[in-house]
Every structure is written in structure tokens, then in C-alpha cells.
Amino acid sequence: MPDFREKLSKVKCFLLDMDGTVYLGNKLIGDMKNTLSSIRNSGRRIVFLTNNSSKSAETYREKLRKLDIYDEADDIFTSGMATVEYLSENHPNKSVYLVGTDALKEEWKKAGVPLTEGKADIAVLAFDTTLTYEKLCKLTDLIQGGAEFIATHPDLVCPAEGFSIPDVGSMLEMVYLATGRRPSVICGKPYEAMGKAVARFLGLKKEELLMAGDRLHTDIAFGVKNGFFSLLVYSGEATREDYEKCGMTVDLALNSLNDIVEYL
């Protein structure tokens, strides 16, 4: 990785995965508070980036404030927000049936997405921790009736205390078996829809963005596919052995995000 210093010098914004990169559960990884301050003091912006579409951006702000690591100059960007960007860019004014939490629905209404509980042009599956059989039936009815099918992200499971719970990727398999259809677009990491959405949101070029994360097939694949500076950290899911086997080449791999300070 001989050219990473030159690439890093062009970066204006750090896109940071959260769990496994910044914190584990409710515990910060190492001296993360000072690390984030060092990134900001280097003149770079920080955006906390997550595939979890069950929570609003404000919910994440509250958690980061409780951990005392959120600065008002920072931003949150979720796969739910990326999906809103995709819809507004590609399907303005199309009616949308959203399988999602009340928090996500409220966020989408504020963003001007025309949500409906009836017949819809587009059916969207998000990470709905309040999922019911009635919602599933309405979703599959719309999909089989010809509505465009979109998903917020592809994660199979969501980490939880001591175990993992089914996420959108698992639900997509269930919907596929029921309808025979896959989503036409998945907006979250590692797909380009989210990369384009966040670049547009920030008004930056791809070479001005750095993606840091601990998951190879979401965080790192996202950075690589979108042409962002890719920073793999070994503080969460991926190990060095996993990286050596994955077939991707990152710009930089560190034990944790804290180690980036010496390169700023």
C-alpha cells in the first residue's frame, strides 16, 4: 500500500461505520474520543454511516452524544436516507409502501416521500423491528401485483448483545421464496446507490471520501466498489486471515481506527 499517504491527503471526509469501528456495543474502542477529535482537527469532516434502517438519524445522534463523541459538525447517513435519495432522484412523486419502523416512516414523511398504506408504485423493505405478518402479506401482494421492489440494505443479520437477529437480507430470502422476485435495487452498503447518494449529500468527489469499517463484504466492498479510500480495521468482525482470503485490496489496514492518527 505504498501510495496510501498520497491518496489520504486528498480525503476531505471520513465515512465511519459505527459498531466494530468506533464502538463495540456501548463501549468506545480505545481512545476513540481523541481520535475523532484529531480527524476533525485535521480539517476533515466526519459522517457516521450505517446500514441499519430501523432507527432514525436522530436516534444515532442521541447514542453518539451519550458516548460523548458527537460533534455538531458531524453527520449521520443511514441506508434509509440513501433510499430516500435514490427515490427522489429516480422516482419522484411515486407512491411508496414502506415496511419499516414508525421512526423511519416519520423521517421519510419529513423528507417528502409520498407514503401510502394502500396500492403503491414502489414497495420498500427496510429493517422493521416491528414487522408483522400483515405487513409481509401487504408487501408480497404489491410485489406480485407489479410494484417495483426496493430494499434499504442487504445485511443478513444485525449484531445484538450475545447473539444476532434477522436483518433485511434474511427477510429478502423469505420474500423471494414467496414471490419469486428479488429487489431491483438495494440501496445500502456495499452498493453504488448508497455511494452516489452520500457523495451527492456531501457534495464531494469519490477520491475525497474515505470509508472505514470492520466488515469486508459491506464496509470495505462499499469503499472499493465506489472508488473511495478504503480503511479496514481489525477491531470488529474481520481478521487479517479474512482479509487475505477476501480477494479485495484495501488502501490501508489498521488494528483500529485509533491508529490513523499518526497518518493525519
Side-chain angles (χ1 to χ4, degrees):
M1 296 175 281
D3 63 340
F4 80 88
R5 287 182 183 275
E6 182 183 349
K7 283 188 176 182
L8 186 59
S9 69
K10 298 176 183 177
V11 169
K12 294 182 179 179
C13 180
F14 277 55
L15 305 174
L16 302 182
D17 173 57
M18 288 182 269
D19 208 345
T21 302
V22 174
Y23 54 71
L24 288 169
N26 289 307
K27 185 177 180 181
L28 294 178
I29 296 171
D31 193 16
M32 191 58 61
K33 186 175 179 179
N34 283 328
T35 294
L36 298 179
S37 293
S38 295
I39 292 170
R40 296 183 193 106
N41 291 338
S42 74
R44 275 102 171 187
R45 189 172 174 182
I46 290 176
V47 174
F48 295 97
L49 198 75
T50 179
N51 263 359
N52 191 332
S53 57
S54 69
K55 300 173 183 177
S56 67
E58 187 54 37
T59 302
Y60 279 107
R61 285 190 188 92
E62 288 173 8
K63 175 166 185 174
L64 294 170
R65 285 184 184 117
K66 285 180 182 177
L67 291 170
D68 197 25
I69 56 171
Y70 188 75
D71 185 278
E72 294 308 314
D74 298 341
D75 272 305
I76 309 289
F77 200 81
T78 71
S79 66
M81 295 170 68
T83 307
V84 169
E85 286 280 318
Y86 176 82
L87 291 171
S88 64
E89 183 77 8
N90 297 278
H91 301 290
N93 305 317
K94 290 289 183 70
S95 58
V96 176
Y97 175 67
L98 171 62
V99 176
T101 60
D102 288 343
L104 186 66
K105 288 179 179 178
E106 190 60 33
E107 189 171 74
W108 281 32
K109 286 176 185 175
K110 289 179 180 177
V113 178
L115 297 181
T116 179
E117 290 298 314
K119 186 171 176 58
D121 300 311
I122 301 168
V124 179
L125 178 61
F127 184 25
D128 189 358
T129 53
T130 59
L131 184 65
T132 65
Y133 192 68
E134 181 183 1
K135 290 181 181 180
L136 272 176
C137 288
K138 193 174 290 187
L139 177 73
T140 54
D141 283 352
L142 286 167
I143 292 169
Q144 291 177 101
E148 180 164 1
F149 181 27
I150 293 173
T152 57
H153 62 286
D155 298 39
L156 292 171
V157 296
C158 181
E161 290 294 329
F163 59 95
S164 294
I165 56 178
D167 205 329
V168 170
S170 296
M171 298 172 195
L172 286 176
E173 291 305 309
M174 177 170 54
V175 173
Y176 172 70
L177 291 172
T179 67
R181 282 185 60 190
R182 300 283 187 188
S184 57
V185 175
I186 301 177
C187 290
K189 297 177 288 184
Y191 297 104
E192 292 182 11
M194 191 167 187
K196 290 177 180 177
V198 73
R200 189 165 56 247
F201 173 74
L202 294 166
L204 295 175
K205 300 173 184 176
K206 62 183 181 180
E207 61 269 21
E208 296 173 328
L209 294 165
L210 175 150
M211 179 67 220
D214 67 302
R215 286 188 168 192
L216 288 165
H217 299 294
T218 52
D219 303 324
I220 301 308
F222 175 69
V224 171
K225 283 183 179 181
N226 284 282
F228 303 157
F229 186 107
S230 54
L231 169 57
L232 172 64
V233 294
Y234 296 123
S235 52
E237 180 179 280
T239 64
R240 286 178 177 80
E241 185 179 10
D242 293 332
Y243 172 55
E244 289 167 2
K245 293 178 179 177
C246 77
M248 290 183 288
T249 301
V250 300
D251 292 297
L252 186 61
L254 299 170
N255 287 329
S256 81
L257 182 61
N258 298 303
D259 297 332
I260 195 67
V261 172
E262 66 178 284
Y263 302 111
L264 295 175

